[in-house]
Amino acid sequence: MLLEAEFWVAVAFVIFMAIAWKAGAFSAMTKGLDGRAKRVRNELDEAKRLREEAAAVLADYKRRRAEAEKEAEAIITGAREEAQRAAEEGHRKLDDFLARRTKAAETKIAQAEAQAEAQVRAAAAEAAVKVSETILRERLQGEAAQGLIRASLGEVRTRLRA
């Protein structure tokens, strides 16, 4: 057993471990491993905090986007309503304008008809007076006849013009 290589490797390992333990290598290794574990734990905590922060920022952006979409929809709806009101008001004003123009045209037509009727009556009265005057002159002679003709012609004119 003393001549076997495995035995001397085991003895050398035990001696090495005893020297390392006396020199404080184990405490340095544990401190190093503990420090590394602490750094890893801190990095994991930081990563978790950053992930939560990123999730909060993402949720905030989603909320803002939803609000912006709602606001845009409200603006579009308002613009459509305003355009509809403007179109309705334009149609109403156009209808009012057309009604006023139609009434003005009808009034002018009625005035023109009345004027034409008055002119026709006046022309008819003049023609009737001239015809009557001609007939009366042919049939009546003398100064008395002339007075009678003038009086009756004035009366005919007055009645025809009325």
Side-chain angles (χ1 to χ4, degrees):
M1 169 164 148
L2 290 176
L3 295 173
E4 293 184 21
E6 288 88 11
F7 172 74
W8 291 110
V9 170
V11 170
F13 180 73
V14 170
I15 293 172
F16 174 75
M17 293 303 264
I19 293 171
W21 182 61
K22 278 290 194 186
F26 289 118
S27 64
M29 281 196 289
T30 56
K31 283 181 187 177
L33 289 174
D34 287 342
R36 174 119 173 118
K38 194 178 210 180
R39 277 195 317 264
V40 168
R41 190 176 305 115
N42 287 341
E43 287 176 4
L44 287 174
D45 290 343
E46 179 69 15
K48 183 178 178 183
R49 186 187 62 77
L50 289 174
R51 191 183 101 231
E52 290 171 356
E53 187 178 307
V57 168
L58 178 64
D60 185 48
Y61 282 129
K62 284 182 179 179
R63 181 186 52 79
R64 285 184 184 179
R65 182 176 146 231
E67 288 175 359
E69 286 175 354
K70 286 179 185 176
E71 186 177 337
E73 187 64 33
I75 290 170
I76 289 170
T77 302
R80 284 184 181 150
E81 289 172 357
E82 183 65 28
Q84 181 67 26
R85 280 194 298 269
E88 288 172 358
E89 184 176 342
H91 287 298
R92 184 183 49 78
K93 285 182 179 180
L94 180 62
D95 291 343
D96 290 346
F97 174 75
L98 289 175
R100 284 194 315 270
R101 294 297 283 182
T102 302
K103 185 170 177 130
E106 288 172 351
T107 303
K108 284 184 179 181
I109 289 170
Q111 289 174 350
E113 286 176 349
Q115 186 179 8
E117 188 177 319
Q119 287 175 350
V120 168
R121 279 188 185 172
E126 282 298 318
V129 167
K130 285 188 180 183
V131 168
S132 299
E133 185 179 350
T134 304
I135 292 173
L136 288 175
R137 279 195 189 166
E138 287 178 1
R139 292 196 182 164
L140 293 179
Q141 298 292 332
E143 192 61 36
Q146 291 300 324
L148 185 59
I149 290 172
R150 284 190 199 116
S152 37
L153 287 177
E155 188 177 327
V156 168
R157 282 188 185 134
T158 306
R159 285 188 182 176
L160 288 176
R161 288 185 181 163

